[in-house]
Amino acid sequence: MTSYYPPISYIVPPSEDGWLLKTILQKRMDVSRKLLSRLKMTDLGITLNGERVYISVKVSTGDLVQIRMEEETSEDILPQPIPFEILYEDGHLLVVSKAAGMIVHPTHGHYTETLANGVVHYWAEKGERVRFRPVHRLDQETSGVLVIAKNPYSHQHISEQMIAGTVDKRYTAFVHGVPALPSGDIDGPIDRDPLEPHRRIVTPDGYPSLTRYEVKEVYGSAASRVELKLESGRTHQIRVHMGSVGCPLIGDGMYRHPLYGQAAGSRAEASAPGEERRAGEPAVIAGGEEQQVQELAVTADGAAQQVQELAVTADGAALPPGDAARLAQIAELDASIPRQALHAVRLAFRHPVTHAELVFEAPLPPDMALLQEKLRQSAR
């Protein structure tokens, strides 16, 4: 026997007397063509006053129109008792505060220990048959508010709001340096880096991308806290855009401050083939820069030591004193947090069924709160 989620209902007002049922479904209940096709194929998918009818019939004032979706499960996701923080839940939505380090959905090489595994287990324990449908994603190391739809109708409606730009997504980030203006827009097309496809870059041929920012707190010239609002949803958008204006995120191991590359390049140039290096000093040659840079900023003490070694090359050449000092400061900050300092602090949208305005907020997680305190103390 087919099991359904609770019905979504609509009562026909006098102004719509005589309309086609199809028009009510598409124009008033906002059922997409794809979902409408699925509903037509199920016994109780579409009913008028409790009766299954063709969508070509006309409705009358006071008629009860209902749609019902078949229950589904994520059979390809292994249920695991993984804890996660719930901000809100009803029959249509689950809103959570995702922890840093947690992958949202199983991917190649990461089939377990994801948010999806935990959510599927949670629903199974409650006796609910629900498929895991995240409406959007957060990077593995980004924490904060995430919404998950519990049926196709909810997923469609919130997705459409995101496409229309009516969802308010705000992030808090701690960045190196201070943006040139206290607020502004970063309008830079984003696409894959042809040399490193897992990375993204700002490029004229990329997809339109817009990030609005506002500086909320400044810590001398070393760093600042910014609030960001996404007007588009490209992969790594905030990380790429902030890096493009010279303020990369603190702790970001993929989109690092350009001074790391300058220091590595300086050493590579000085350590040309045939030249002697100091005892124990690692060689950095073309193609080895990324490996050397990744070794930086493992711990606060280790970061400072490695930066000093990187800044001074084998023949005594060095970065300019100001840049060397700045690089040491950057590395120390990067070592203060084990991931990019980015948190999805706020998400606001319209409920897909009740149409009520929903606002969800998640306070800074402990690692970012500690970083904020460190920055405040260093700026005194």
Side-chain angles (χ1 to χ4, degrees):
M1 180 178 178
T2 303
S3 297
Y4 296 90
Y5 296 121
I8 296 173
S9 304
Y10 182 82
I11 297 177
V12 179
S15 60
E16 294 164 10
D17 184 84
W19 283 24
L20 293 179
L21 176 57
K22 179 180 179 180
T23 304
I24 295 292
L25 293 167
Q26 293 183 325
K27 301 298 184 182
R28 290 295 179 262
M29 300 183 73
D30 297 322
V31 177
S32 68
R33 290 184 179 181
K34 181 178 179 180
L35 179 56
L36 185 60
S37 296
R38 291 179 59 181
L39 295 173
K40 289 164 60 178
M41 300 298 293
T42 59
D43 290 338
L44 297 177
I46 302 170
T47 62
L48 182 65
N49 299 320
E51 300 289 334
R52 185 181 182 187
V53 295
Y54 291 106
I55 62 174
S56 58
V57 302
K58 293 184 178 181
V59 300
S60 301
T61 301
D63 279 350
L64 174 63
V65 180
Q66 292 182 311
I67 62 171
R68 294 174 178 83
M69 292 160 283
E70 294 180 285
E71 290 183 347
E72 302 173 275
T73 58
S74 296
E75 297 180 356
D76 57 336
I77 298 177
L78 175 69
Q80 291 181 291
I82 300 172
F84 59 92
E85 182 181 357
I86 297 175
L87 300 179
Y88 173 85
E89 184 177 21
D90 61 18
H92 308 280
L93 304 172
L94 172 66
V95 183
V96 306
S97 181
K98 187 187 84 68
M102 180 178 285
I103 297 175
V104 173
H105 199 284
T107 59
H108 180 69
H110 294 90
Y111 301 107
T112 59
E113 305 298 324
T114 71
L115 176 63
N117 299 110
V119 170
V120 168
H121 177 271
Y122 163 73
W123 282 332
E125 290 291 296
K126 292 178 60 180
E128 294 188 30
R129 290 172 51 83
V130 183
R131 180 180 171 185
F132 184 78
R133 285 186 173 86
V135 181
H136 58 119
R137 303 290 177 94
L138 293 176
D139 292 342
Q140 179 179 356
E141 299 301 337
T142 300
S143 54
V145 184
L146 180 79
V147 60
I148 301 159
K150 298 178 71 171
N151 57 60
Y153 183 83
S154 297
H155 189 277
Q156 169 210 321
H157 273 254
I158 303 175
S159 296
E160 288 175 351
Q161 291 179 56
M162 289 189 170
I163 293 172
T166 59
V167 174
D168 187 7
K169 293 187 289 183
R170 295 182 186 270
Y171 295 75
T172 291
F174 293 94
V175 302
H176 292 292
V178 182
L181 298 174
S183 64
D185 295 345
I186 305 174
D187 189 356
I190 293 177
D191 205 349
R192 292 182 182 274
D193 184 340
L195 301 179
E196 299 179 80
H198 62 288
R199 288 168 49 91
R200 301 298 191 274
I201 58 173
V202 172
T203 172
D205 299 326
Y207 297 94
S209 307
L210 177 62
T211 302
R212 305 187 190 280
Y213 75 87
E214 182 178 355
V215 178
K216 292 294 186 179
E217 196 169 6
V218 174
Y219 313 103
S221 61
S224 53
R225 175 170 64 89
V226 295
E227 181 179 275
L228 305 116
K229 181 179 179 182
L230 291 182
E231 300 295 347
S232 52
R234 308 302 176 197
T235 300
H236 302 170
Q237 179 173 322
I238 288 175
R239 300 162 66 188
V240 173
H241 270 173
M242 292 310 299
S244 72
V245 296
C247 296
L249 271 61
I250 294 174
D252 195 338
M254 179 176 291
Y255 300 98
R256 310 198 71 172
H257 198 285
L259 276 179
Y260 284 107
Q262 293 179 31
S266 176
R267 164 165 285 190
E269 182 178 348
S271 301
E275 293 188 20
E276 295 183 358
R277 300 190 309 275
R278 294 175 297 172
E281 179 184 49
V284 180
I285 58 176
E289 174 184 332
E290 181 177 355
Q291 178 181 355
Q292 175 69 12
V293 169
Q294 289 174 350
E295 293 174 357
L296 294 174
V298 177
T299 64
D301 293 338
Q305 180 180 352
Q306 291 186 52
V307 167
Q308 290 174 6
E309 293 178 356
L310 187 62
V312 182
T313 58
D315 63 353
L319 289 173
D323 285 350
R326 175 64 177 140
L327 180 54
Q329 183 183 52
I330 289 167
E332 182 179 357
L333 287 179
D334 282 339
S336 299
I337 186 168
R339 49 105 174 191
Q340 69 260 14
L342 181 62
H343 179 67
V345 69
R346 186 178 191 271
L347 186 69
F349 59 91
R350 184 169 46 84
H351 192 285
V353 177
T354 68
H355 306 298
E357 290 294 329
L358 302 178
V359 179
F360 302 102
E361 295 183 344
L364 286 181
D367 59 351
M368 287 183 63
L370 286 173
L371 175 61
Q372 179 174 246
E373 183 58 28
K374 174 184 174 71
L375 290 168
R376 285 174 174 172
Q377 290 181 1
S378 65
R380 289 173 182 169

